[in-house]
Amino acid sequence: MLSLVRRADAVEVVGAGLELAAAGWGCRRIAERLGRPVTTVRGWLRCWSRRVGRTAAVFTSLLVALADDPAAMLPTAAGSAAQDAVCAVTGFAFAARARLEMLKVPTWLLVSAACHGRLLAPGWPPA
């Protein structure tokens, strides 16, 4: 189990919560689905909402660096900043798995490795 800095939950659980939020779910519904306290999920979403734009930019640049054909893999605007960030994160993970032949590594583990576990930590991504 790999967790993020300052978070007790596995990165896959936090990532699933972020994906559900990007799909329009509220923190209570996410908490119920993931079996986590509402306050915990609310904390994830607050941290995430403060950094989605910068996170999308970081993971889009990582995607471009890894992709054989970046133009074919660049995510289009998804409708909200949170959706854009999730698209950038999943696009990065897809490119990383393809480039590094890590086909069985889950998306959120790759994300955690790329940001050194600091996805929701203060000061990340750097300005």
Side-chain angles (χ1 to χ4, degrees), residues 27-45:
C27 60
R28 292 183 193 284
R29 190 171 170 204
I30 295 168
E32 184 177 304
R33 166 62 79 78
L34 299 178
R36 295 291 177 260
V38 173
T39 54
T40 298
V41 174
R42 189 177 296 125
W44 301 341
L45 300 183

Side-chain angles (χ1 to χ4, degrees), residues 57-91:
V58 167
F59 282 100
T60 298
S61 66
L62 291 172
L63 182 160
V64 168
L66 288 170
D68 290 330
D69 183 8
M73 293 187 69
L74 284 176
T76 59
S80 74
Q83 290 172 333
D84 290 345
V86 167
C87 286
V89 162
T90 55

